[in-house]
Amino acid sequence: MNTGRTAVIGWLSRSAEWQVRWVLGLVLVAGVVRVGLAAPGGGMDNAIVVRAAEAWLAGRSPYADRHFLYLPGAVLAAVPQALLPADVVRYLVPAGVSAGLVAGWACALRIHGVAWRSRFAVYGLLGLALGFAPFGHLVQLGNWTAGSAAALPFALLLVCRGRWVAAGLVLGAAVAVKPLLAPVVLLFVLARRWRALGAAVGVPAVVSAAAALLMPDPAGFFTRTLPFLLRGEDSFVRLYEASPSAVLARLGVPQTGATLLAGCAALAGLWCAWRRWERRDAEPAGVVDCAVMLMLSAFLVSRPSYDHYLLVVLPLLLAGASAPGSVARSPWFWVALVPQVPGFGWPGLEPGTRRAFKDAVTLCLLAATAGWAGVTGGGAGERGARDETVPPGRRAARERAGEAAGAR
């Protein structure tokens, strides 16, 4: 028995000291205030959505702005912001983004059975806020990816509790505003949960159709935004894309070849997700790893693909670090995060327009690490040893829960 590892896990599982919780709260509040003082619209990305809502209120098409990439439902969701004073929005938006990231972290912890007040929970969130640059980028931009970062862990928590249809409704609601989580719908296909699949597809379809009918240009998303995305967007946006197809093209690889390589990587990722699902057990790790691999596969080929998209999957992986065999136990997981450490200057990559090269390294290494764990079984050999440490009563309850979930 590794008494040192057991002692560390025991220390992390105990309740965090009040001083540390206060420090965490101070860090989160300071980030909100910093963005509020610097960004009147709550962040550049949020301002784009608010301008689209303002255009709709004025009788114009929100899709006249080619940088508005969301579905019609997002226009209606942004209307309250368009009606609020700017002094309120500038603080409300970064606070909402931070709250979304905190909620996603809390749900990810519950999936793995980690207490919210534990040292692992508090120090983990503190590490994300201070040691992972995309966290600050997301709050600064006010990007609505924060909603997806909260919705995916919540949906997977519902899945792990056997509430598949409810999970489909949550994913559908998130996709209706921003289609970032659309790849996770494949999880319902793998599980053959057709009612949940219907909920995940039906909600955004109904919301988008209803919202589009209220627009001056009902088909604007398909006639303006979709062609813009398929063309690879414009030269400014392309500088911040972390997709291999965009990064390789900037390095001199022909665009067709870069897209082909990214597509092959995405297909390999889908195969890894399928393999992980096929060998899943009663533990939530199988559901989480499969969903994460589906998202990473999409990030490898999607346009756009930004650094803050990683906050949709990273908390889910990090929250399972205490479990032997998890993706976060691999040294390559931590190597992948090194380029995202704030304050470290990488030669030749200091300009913000070159940040995408670092983001691409992180994305590709995370995808490769998660995919390899899905194919090889990660720490499957350690799982039996871990189960031996579970009390017989709890082990029996876990088995009954797994049988009940399978019956549902």
Side-chain angles (χ1 to χ4, degrees):
M1 179 181 294
N2 192 331
T3 56
R5 177 182 297 177
T6 303
V8 171
I9 294 177
W11 183 84
L12 289 173
S13 63
R14 287 193 285 272
S15 180
E17 297 80 2
W18 67 268
Q19 297 94 331
V20 182
R21 294 199 296 269
W22 272 99
V23 169
L24 174 60
L26 181 62
V27 168
L28 295 176
V29 171
V32 171
V33 173
R34 177 180 61 85
V35 174
L37 293 174
M44 180 178 67
D45 291 357
N46 180 73
I48 294 174
V49 189
V50 174
R51 285 199 301 269
E54 292 173 344
W56 177 70
L57 291 173
R60 303 190 306 272
S61 173
Y63 291 101
D65 183 356
R66 61 181 182 177
H67 290 139
F68 176 66
L69 308 178
Y70 296 0
L71 293 173
V75 177
L76 302 184
V79 167
Q81 283 193 60
L83 300 176
L84 288 174
D87 289 339
V88 175
V89 173
R90 66 190 306 162
Y91 293 103
L92 182 63
V93 172
V97 172
S98 298
L101 295 174
V102 172
W105 175 245
C107 291
L109 291 171
R110 295 312 301 153
I111 291 175
H112 297 282
V114 180
W116 291 333
R117 297 171 60 89
S118 66
R119 289 190 177 111
F120 181 86
V122 176
Y123 282 107
L125 184 56
L126 190 61
L128 281 173
L130 295 178
F132 190 61
F135 191 103
H137 296 163
L138 186 58
V139 177
Q140 181 178 0
L141 292 171
N143 194 282
W144 287 26
T145 297
S148 300
L152 180 58
F154 183 38
L156 296 182
L157 179 61
L158 293 172
V159 166
C160 293
R161 295 181 176 180
R163 302 176 61 184
W164 286 86
V165 175
L169 291 173
V170 171
L171 285 178
V175 172
V177 176
K178 182 171 184 174
L180 184 62
L181 298 183
V184 185
V185 172
L186 291 176
L187 182 67
F188 301 131
V189 177
L190 293 174
R192 298 182 181 180
R193 300 284 179 166
W194 309 121
R195 291 178 60 190
L197 177 63
V201 174
V203 170
V206 171
V207 171
S208 297
L213 293 176
L214 301 175
M215 305 292 158
D217 184 10
F221 179 82
F222 297 99
T223 60
R224 299 189 184 189
T225 301
L226 198 56
F228 178 67
L229 291 173
L230 294 177
R231 288 195 303 267
E233 306 179 67
D234 57 20
S235 58
F236 171 76
V237 176
R238 198 176 300 121
L239 295 175
Y240 300 93
E241 289 192 28
S243 170
S245 59
V247 171
L248 290 175
R250 292 177 63 184
L251 293 175
V253 178
Q255 185 61 66
T256 302
T259 302
L260 181 61
L261 289 174
C264 292
L267 289 175
L270 290 177
W271 179 74
C272 293
W274 173 74
R275 285 291 304 270
R276 183 65 180 96
W277 180 260
E278 287 297 306
R279 68 172 186 84
R280 74 190 189 283
D281 47 34
E283 297 180 354
V287 174
V288 170
D289 291 348
C290 181
V292 165
M293 202 60 236
L294 290 174
M295 291 302 304
L296 289 174
S297 300
F299 296 160
L300 287 172
V301 74
S302 67
R303 306 289 298 270
S305 185
Y306 302 129
D307 66 333
H308 52 76
Y309 286 4
L310 295 173
L311 283 165
V312 176
V313 297
L314 183 62
L316 286 164
L317 297 176
L318 186 61
S322 61
S326 65
V327 176
R329 288 289 185 95
S330 168
W332 290 108
F333 173 83
W334 300 100
V335 171
L337 302 185
V338 171
Q340 303 302 328
V341 175
F344 185 85
W346 295 88
L349 300 180
E350 287 80 3
T353 54
R354 299 180 184 176
R355 192 181 69 213
F357 295 105
K358 298 189 296 182
D359 302 336
V361 171
T362 298
L363 171 60
C364 293
L365 276 179
L366 275 181
T369 303
W372 179 257
V375 172
T376 62
E382 300 180 38
R383 187 172 294 114
R386 182 173 74 252
D387 288 342
E388 293 300 324
T389 65
V390 178
R394 184 180 299 176
R395 191 185 311 144
R398 179 186 296 176
E399 292 172 356
R400 288 194 299 270
E403 294 172 357
R408 285 193 291 269

